[in-house]
Amino acid sequence: MEAIAFHTTQYFIELSDLAEARSIAPEKFTLGLGQQQMSIACPPEDTVHLAINAAKKALERFAISPDEIGMLVVGTESGVDHSKPVAVYVHQALGLPSNCISYETKHACFGAMAAISAAGDWLISGRAKNRKALIIAADIANYALHSAAEPTQGAGAVAMVISDQPTLVSFDRATAGYFTHNVMDFWRPLYAKEALTDGHYSIECYLDALTHTLMDAKPELPRLSDLAACLYHVPFVKMATKAHQRHFEFDQNLSLDKESPNWQRLLQSYQAKTQPWLEYNARVGNIYTGSLFLSLMGLLVKGNLEPDQLISLFSYGSGSAAAFSLIRPVAGYDRFRRQIDPSQDLAHRTKLSIAQYQDIMQQRDQLLTENDRIDPAYWGLTAPYLYSGNRAHIRQYSDFL
Ligand code: CAA
């Protein structure tokens, strides 16, 4: 990986405000789910807008020319069209070469990991011809107001450039574990704007998939003690806590509860290998395909890694598909910390009241058309973005406030 950058929305809500509005103890969201804030998408922010802006940052901050890109894949489960991919809008907005292969991948939150795998195959196939792959994980997690899943929404995109000259991390192609199993844990039928989920069952499915990928990665699977960091898909921070417990139990071949003598060892392992990298996830919420890579950004910004140390990645897409894989930091990766760090983007967001958030959620889907997305005014990066307003049906952000 040669570049990674993040883009999120202009607005967020505090989960303690949401808890108060729903007459729920705030600790359920902040401690029980481990979430602090949630990015809220407001028109013209949709998956295309988020993807374009993350990709612009990745190319500009890492001084990569659009001409160097030969493959563009957007992993998303909240695309804007049943047929036309998000990727082709990004292709136009970034001015990528016309001989660039581009498409969209979907398998719930697994879509971007599938795209990275395809990029790796493309790079070693001989067809890349010294060009690089731009992979974007872009999503808006959207559940019904007042539902149990409401505090686990979020919005954002992570763009990554994958090449055969990695400067951040390299992918270990020898070790991988995969799992596919048809389950109804989380889905969004064609008629639905909001995802449907059997929440507690989805947690079981996620953990079951993790166990199967670990089994499949044997005999090359490293011991937990050989891993410098363990990253997991993060629909909410507490899910990564549960995942690390399952990983620990698998490694130690035991089953734990809080009374177990090994509980303290589990906590120490979690605090050393997973927890420190989850701050951005706690402030953004679930960004589906990008959540795993947002915690990778946390690790690259805050971790003190030695070159070639092993880091595990677990990607889970509901429905379901999962992969366990390994990466290694490249010597000198830490000189890019400033380019990677998304703290400024998070600090510049504006807080919404719960009444404003509800207003946006109820109206945002009606506000954009296909033609808006090919208008260069829509590709803007700077905040506050104001739509040109030349379409009667488009409202400006400020109209909501
Ligand atoms: N203080 C502290 N903690 C509290 C508390 C309080 N006052 N009240 C409750 N809690 C704790 C609970 O004990 C629980 O923690 P544990 O799981 O560790 O026991 C936690 O808060 C959540 O409480 P509930 O389980 O009662 O919460 P819920 O049933 O209302 O909803 C949810 C939780 C099922 C995750 C729901 O938010 C949901 O459906 N989310 C969407 C589905 C999802 O994200 N699934 C994840 C796996 S699937 C996946 O990863 C793909 C994807 O991205 C969607």
Side-chain angles (χ1 to χ4, degrees):
M1 185 183 295
E2 213 185 304
I4 187 165
F6 175 67
H7 186 76
T8 190
T9 58
Q10 309 268 334
Y11 294 111
F12 75 100
I13 59 168
E14 292 285 352
L15 283 196
S16 52
D17 293 348
L18 182 64
E20 190 184 341
R22 302 290 179 255
S23 303
I24 289 172
E27 294 78 16
K28 176 173 176 182
F29 294 170
T30 55
L31 301 175
L33 297 175
Q35 293 300 123
Q36 300 295 327
Q37 300 171 344
M38 208 160 75
S39 282
I40 301 299
C42 177
E45 292 167 330
D46 62 5
T47 313
V48 175
H49 186 90
L50 296 171
I52 289 171
N53 286 298
K56 275 186 181 176
K57 287 180 191 173
L59 297 194
E60 284 167 17
R61 291 182 185 175
F62 289 83
I64 296 170
S65 161
D67 294 339
E68 296 177 70
I69 304 298
M71 179 185 211
L72 165 65
V73 190
V74 178
T76 184
E77 56 176 300
S78 48
V80 296
D81 190 291
H82 293 311
S83 173
K84 191 169 176 174
V86 171
V88 78
Y89 293 107
V90 178
H91 182 274
Q92 181 195 14
L94 268 65
L96 300 185
S98 58
N99 65 346
C100 171
I101 179 171
S102 76
Y103 57 96
E104 182 171 304
T105 50
K106 180 183 75 177
H107 193 142
C109 307
F110 183 65
M113 185 51 104
I116 287 176
S117 176
D121 293 343
W122 176 74
L123 285 169
I124 59 172
S125 72
R127 293 194 305 279
K129 297 178 188 150
N130 297 321
R131 292 174 302 166
K132 308 169 199 279
L134 174 59
I135 307 299
I136 309 170
D139 270 306
I140 297 174
N142 193 6
Y143 302 98
L145 295 174
H146 301 271
S147 66
E150 186 182 21
T152 63
Q153 299 175 100
V158 178
M160 296 162 274
V161 176
I162 312 286
S163 77
D164 54 11
Q165 292 168 336
T167 50
L168 300 177
V169 296
S170 62
F171 285 81
D172 178 331
R173 297 189 67 78
T175 310
Y178 297 103
F179 181 64
T180 296
H181 185 44
N182 185 5
V183 287
M184 290 301 280
D185 65 330
F186 167 102
W187 64 105
R188 187 163 66 89
L190 293 180
Y191 60 79
K193 293 278 184 205
E194 289 142 354
L196 308 172
T197 178
D198 186 344
H200 290 275
Y201 179 54
S202 73
I203 294 172
E204 276 176 42
C205 292
Y206 174 121
L207 295 174
D208 188 44
L210 172 57
T211 303
H212 279 88
T213 59
L214 294 172
M215 282 175 357
D216 190 47
K218 282 183 166 184
E220 289 85 11
L221 179 70
R223 296 300 307 269
L224 204 48
S225 52
D226 295 325
L227 296 172
C230 302
L231 307 180
Y232 306 93
H233 169 54
V234 193
F236 50 92
V237 163
K238 185 65 146 321
M239 190 69 236
T241 318
K242 292 177 191 288
H244 192 70
Q245 178 176 344
R246 176 62 60 92
H247 194 169
F248 185 93
E249 290 173 336
F250 186 90
D251 181 73
Q252 302 286 308
N253 194 22
L254 44 76
S255 176
L256 291 175
D257 61 40
K258 286 187 178 141
E259 311 308 320
S260 306
N262 283 312
W263 189 256
Q264 278 309 317
R265 282 181 55 225
L266 164 65
L267 285 186
Q268 283 164 5
S269 172
Y270 175 67
Q271 283 158 5
K273 295 175 196 285
T274 303
Q275 184 184 39
W277 331 126
L278 297 172
E279 181 204 325
Y280 306 139
N281 300 83
R283 294 177 64 193
V284 172
N286 194 357
I287 53 168
Y288 291 156
T289 48
S291 296
L292 170 63
F293 304 104
L294 188 56
S295 69
L296 173 60
M297 294 178 79
L299 174 65
L300 295 177
V301 171
K302 293 175 184 180
N304 282 311
L305 300 162
E306 297 294 328
D308 282 337
Q309 278 185 316
L310 278 177
I311 300 159
S312 67
L313 302 183
F314 173 69
S315 175
Y316 176 72
S318 284
S320 65
F324 178 88
S325 49
L326 298 173
I327 55 173
R328 296 170 191 270
V330 174
Y333 82 91
D334 46 350
R335 69 186 187 277
F336 296 107
R337 281 201 173 121
R338 194 177 45 80
Q339 286 94 321
I340 298 170
D341 191 350
S343 306
Q344 290 301 317
D345 301 69
L346 296 179
H348 283 126
R349 293 176 305 170
T350 301
K351 183 178 147 176
L352 294 171
S353 70
I354 299 305
Q356 290 166 336
Y357 147 73
Q358 292 181 167
D359 184 31
I360 290 171
M361 293 292 283
Q362 281 157 356
Q363 300 186 56
R364 68 182 180 191
D365 289 323
Q366 287 87 49
L367 299 178
L368 284 171
T369 72
E370 293 71 19
N371 286 336
D372 297 323
R373 296 192 183 96
I374 56 173
D375 180 345
Y378 162 91
W379 306 337
L381 184 61
T382 49
Y385 182 89
L386 291 179
Y387 195 75
S388 58
N390 58 2
R391 289 173 182 275
H393 64 283
I394 297 283
R395 293 166 67 193
Q396 296 184 349
Y397 286 149
S398 50
D399 294 341
F400 287 109
L401 299 177

